[in-house]
């Protein structure tokens, strides 16, 4: 992974000093609430319903064992002993004291971490595929470009006060696991007809109250032009994005208003003055960044005997077999697999992880996965490089730590925002809905019979739980002070991205498990052989679901 | 007498920006963009730009203009940062002043974008603003103060 040199370290150290100064001036009354607001947000600090919330940057989801132990220690020393993985691969702690935040940032800086630009109207953490570098379907490793973008966007002087937040995601594989269609800018690595690697550039995707799938503005961008082209897009947005209404301020609204062709022309006009300037990437910089993401020293295992040992263990222990099949995926190196550690055990708020679990994960990634792990936008953890013959030992340790739920990619692997239990923006609670659904569908045979299924829950229109792109989406809404839940079907975050369609009138919280069960019963009745929920929905449409669900329960 | 930061020092202002400003007697009056155009685009003038004004309107006059002020009606309105960079990219070398609701915490970024004079509405903050002009000792990006990005300088 990327390792700081003295430049990077000095920058985060100076940032800590700057925020210490800002916090003390605020506490002394020299900065108003309104003035401190964007300054603290640009260091990830929100003021929430019960306490501040600090969002810590995890650049493109990559963490070392040392960093994970530091996070565990921070949650113990400054918080309540747990952390939460966000849908943008960052880590949130929910109970820090404002006065302690400069010290927390200093602790983070000691392990090459920070909270810079994890919130506020600026360029946020760049996200990518949790299987980057190991995926069998990878075209090129996106992480060197993510780090290039991270450095370019960090404390960018021109783009710290944008109309609204700005999110970039990069995909380097055939399957899109980074939801690039749902980002302000989505970048897809692919080769042109001459075989040269470059970027397809999408712009104006996003969720929130106006969900939009990104539009292509460049089919193939030469890699060296990446930053100058991004700079041109950001400048067009900074100059022309709406600032009169925060709900109309994202770039997707500007792209819609201008039309994608006019927007592309504006970017190209702006780019003309930036192209081939000093921001043009050099071959040596791209090569330097690539050196941080070279493959670890894989052993040359006896793949045949390893596979036989794993198969024997799976035959002997059905629980292990379940986990092996659901929570591990193929690796590009024979004899290795990538492991998803589910943070979606029933009764555990989705994405929450305790300090002792973090310590355990740090130990396990050192023991079994070259000392690194990844956070995922599905709010899980990935150990990317595990030898097949170690899988059983790893599983046993995870099981002892309550981290072996064999549900990755299934109905109970729910993406869920913190919701009304924590967030001051939320209209409704989301965690109790997730828990009720997990409790209802805890039968593994049933779960697996439902096939791959993404259920996403957001507590309000801000859509942090990505409900629009869940195969089943649930949105908390407020009706005259009461919490209700609207269901949508048919969303997808893949390369065939789509926005889910609303099923109909909303439901009370207690009705939700029944509603989901009815939806699934329609799928079971209608599906063709091997057809997934999403495929079946796309074939049969909304009507059968509507009829059955509203025949059963009384809509509100 | 209104004051501002210029060349790392606090100085008094020789420009005024409001016709009704009685304190402006004896000081030169800066135009708004529309006034400047109506007045026949005079050379050797000062112009105050608002967010949303198109700075390319000034392009031909840039070598002779003596002051361009960019107004920040709210510190959260970041359009002025892009305008400064564009004006410097267009070749403007004269005084480029950030005026309005600007925070001490923004001084460093304003400077990087090409501003060389700073006039916060709240003049009691001039000292705090001056102290925070330097901000960070290194930067990843190319900007007006450092035309090469760090990756071209990293040893």
């Amino acid at each position: 992974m990327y390792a700081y040199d003295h430049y990077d370290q000095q920058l985060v150290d100076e940032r800590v000093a700057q925020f210490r100064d800002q916090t003390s001036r605020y506490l002394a009354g020299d900065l108003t609430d309104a003035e401190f607001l964007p300054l603290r947000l640009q260091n990830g600090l929100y003021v929430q319903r019960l306490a501040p919330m600090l969002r810590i940057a995890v650049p493109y989801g990559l963490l070392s064992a040392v960093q994970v132990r530091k996070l565990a220690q921070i949650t113990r020393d400054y918080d309540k002993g747990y952390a939460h993985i966000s849908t943008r691969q960052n880590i949130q702690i929910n109970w820090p004291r404002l006065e302690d935040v400069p010290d927390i940032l200093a602790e983070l800086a000691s392990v090459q971490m920070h909270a810079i630009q994890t919130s506020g109207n600026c360029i946020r953490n760049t996200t990518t595929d949790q299987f980057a570098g190991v995926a069998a379907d990878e075209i090129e490793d996106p992480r060197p470009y993510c780090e290039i973008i991270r450095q370019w966007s960090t404390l960018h002087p021109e783009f710290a006060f944008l109309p609204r937040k700005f999110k970039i995601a990069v995909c380097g594989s055939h399957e899109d696991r980074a939801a690039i269609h749902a980002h302000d800018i989505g970048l897809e690595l692919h080769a042109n007809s001459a075989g040269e690697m470059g970027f397809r550039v999408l712009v104006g995707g996003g969720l929130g109250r106006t969900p939009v799938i990104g539009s292509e503005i460049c089919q193939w961008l030469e890699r060296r032009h990446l930053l100058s082209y991004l700079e041109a897009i950001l400048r067009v947005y900074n100059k022309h994005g709406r600032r009169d209404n925060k709900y109309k301020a994202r770039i997707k609204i500007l792209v819609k208003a201008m039309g994608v062709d006019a927007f592309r022309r504006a970017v190209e006009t702006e780019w003309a003055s930036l192209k081939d300037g000093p921001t043009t990437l050099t071959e040596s910089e791209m090569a330097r960044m690539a050196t941080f993401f070279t493959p670890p020293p894989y052993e040359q295992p006896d793949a045949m005997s390893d596979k036989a040992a794993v198969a024997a263990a799976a035959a002997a222990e059905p629980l292990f077999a379940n986990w092996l099949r659901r929570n591990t995926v193929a690796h590009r190196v024979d004899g290795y697999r990538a492991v998803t550690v589910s943070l979606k055990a029933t009764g555990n708020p989705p994405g929450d992880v305790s300090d002792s679990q973090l310590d355990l994960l740090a130990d396990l990634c050192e023991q079994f996965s070259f000392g690194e792990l990844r956070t995922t936008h599905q709010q899980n953890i990935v150990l990317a490089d595990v030898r097949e013959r170690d899988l059983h030992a790893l599983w046993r340790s995870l099981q002892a730590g309550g981290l072996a739920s064999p549900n990755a990619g299934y109905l109970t692997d729910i993406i869920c925002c913190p919701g009304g239990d924590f967030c001051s923006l939320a209209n409704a609670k989301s965690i109790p809905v997730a828990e009720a659904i997990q409790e209802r569908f805890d039968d593994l045979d049933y779960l697996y019979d439902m096939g791959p299924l993404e259920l996403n829950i957001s507590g309000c229109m801000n859509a942090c739980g990505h409900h629009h792109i869940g195969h089943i989406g649930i949105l908390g809404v407020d009706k005259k002070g009461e919490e209700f839940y609207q269901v949508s079907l048919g969303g997808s975050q893949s390369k065939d991205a789509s926005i889910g369609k609303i099923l109909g009138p909303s439901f009370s919280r207690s009705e939700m498990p029944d509603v989901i069960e009815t939806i699934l019963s329609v799928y079971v009745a209608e599906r063709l052989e091997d057809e997934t929920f999403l495929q079946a929905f796309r074939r049969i449409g909304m009507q059968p679901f509507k009829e059955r669900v509203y025949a059963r329960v009384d809509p509100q | 007498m209104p004051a501002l930061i210029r060349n790392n020092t606090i100085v008094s202002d020789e420009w005024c920006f409001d016709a009704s400003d009685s304190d402006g007697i004896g000081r030169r009056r800066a135009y708004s963009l529309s006034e400047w155009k109506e007045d026949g685009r005079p050379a050797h003038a000062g112009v105050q730009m608002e967010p949303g004004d198109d700075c390319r309107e000034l392009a031909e006059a840039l070598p002779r203009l003596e002051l361009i002020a960019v107004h920040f009606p709210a510190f959260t309105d970041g359009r002025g940062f892009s305008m400064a960079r564009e004006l410097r990219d267009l070749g403007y070398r004269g005084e480029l002043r950030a005026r309005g609701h600007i925070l001490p915490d923004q001084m460093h970024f304003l400077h990087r974008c090409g501003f060389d004079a700073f006039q916060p509405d709240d003049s009691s903050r001039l000292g705090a603003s001056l102290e925070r002009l330097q901000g960070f000792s290194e930067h990843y990006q190319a900007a007006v103060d450092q035309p090469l990005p760090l990756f071209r300088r990293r040893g």
Side-chain angles (χ1 to χ4, degrees), chain A residues 206-388:
Chain A
L207 301 175
R209 55 187 70 203
T210 318
V212 181
I213 299 294
S215 306
E216 179 182 298
I217 59 164
C218 182
Q219 200 271 329
W220 187 83
L221 178 74
E222 212 178 322
R223 293 179 311 162
R224 64 197 177 99
H225 295 313
L226 175 64
L227 296 184
S228 61
Y229 197 80
L230 293 181
E231 202 146 307
I233 296 173
L234 263 298
R235 188 174 286 176
V236 170
Y237 172 55
N238 192 35
K239 280 162 61 175
H240 302 296
R242 281 181 65 173
R243 291 173 186 270
D244 58 329
N245 178 344
K246 77 180 266 198
Y247 301 115
K248 305 274 182 202
R250 294 289 289 271
I251 195 173
K252 62 194 172 189
I253 305 291
L254 178 65
V255 174
K256 284 259 175 213
M258 290 176 75
V260 68
D261 292 325
F263 184 84
R264 181 188 297 114
R265 281 195 298 278
V267 169
E268 282 170 2
T269 304
E270 207 63 69
W271 192 37
S273 66
L274 299 167
K275 188 172 181 248
D276 298 320
T279 294
T280 307
L281 284 168
T282 57
E283 283 301 325
S284 65
E285 173 66 355
M286 288 188 275
R288 186 182 79 91
M289 283 303 188
T291 63
F292 293 107
F293 302 96
T294 50
Y298 293 119
E299 295 168 43
Q300 299 280 318
D302 179 350
M304 290 300 284
S305 78
D306 281 14
K307 281 186 209 309
V310 174
E317 282 184 272
L319 276 177
F320 172 63
N322 272 338
W323 177 86
L324 181 68
R325 186 160 162 210
R326 319 297 168 180
N327 287 43
T328 74
V329 296
H331 195 286
R332 61 162 57 166
V333 176
D334 198 26
Y336 282 82
R337 289 184 78 77
V339 171
T340 298
V341 178
S342 169
L343 301 180
K344 311 295 176 62
T346 301
N348 184 59
D352 277 12
V353 57
S354 72
D355 61 332
S356 56
Q357 288 175 326
L358 286 168
D359 280 332
L360 175 65
L361 288 165
D363 292 346
L364 293 176
C365 81
E366 271 178 344
Q367 199 178 341
F368 295 116
S369 195
F370 300 98
E372 289 178 14
L373 56 75
R374 293 117 183 262
T375 54
T376 79
H377 92 265
Q378 291 92 349
Q379 304 173 291
N380 291 318
I381 299 284
V382 160
L383 301 185
D385 297 288
V386 182
R387 264 190 79 163
E388 286 194 291

Side-chain angles (χ1 to χ4, degrees), chain A residues 2 5 8 10 14 21-22 25 30 35 38 151-152 154 158 161 238-239 243 278 280 285 288, chain B residues 75-79 81-82 85-86 101 103 105-106 125 132 136-137 140-141 147 149 151-152 154:
Chain A
Y2 185 72
D5 66 8
D8 306 295
Q10 178 177 282
E14 289 179 0
D21 166 60
Q22 289 165 348
R25 280 155 61 217
D30 294 339
E35 290 171 339
Q151 297 194 9
W152 162 79
T154 297
E158 188 178 342
F161 296 90
N238 192 35
K239 280 162 61 175
R243 291 173 186 270
T280 307
E285 173 66 355
R288 186 182 79 91
Chain B
F75 77 100
T76 49
D77 187 336
R79 285 176 285 184
F81 292 86
S82 285
R85 289 202 68 169
E86 287 190 287
H101 188 192
L103 303 188
D105 308 87
Q106 293 178 304
R125 285 178 164 178
R132 286 167 184 80
F136 290 83
S137 20
Y140 289 121
Q141 318 77 9
F151 66 78
R152 287 182 185 268
R154 219 160 193 155

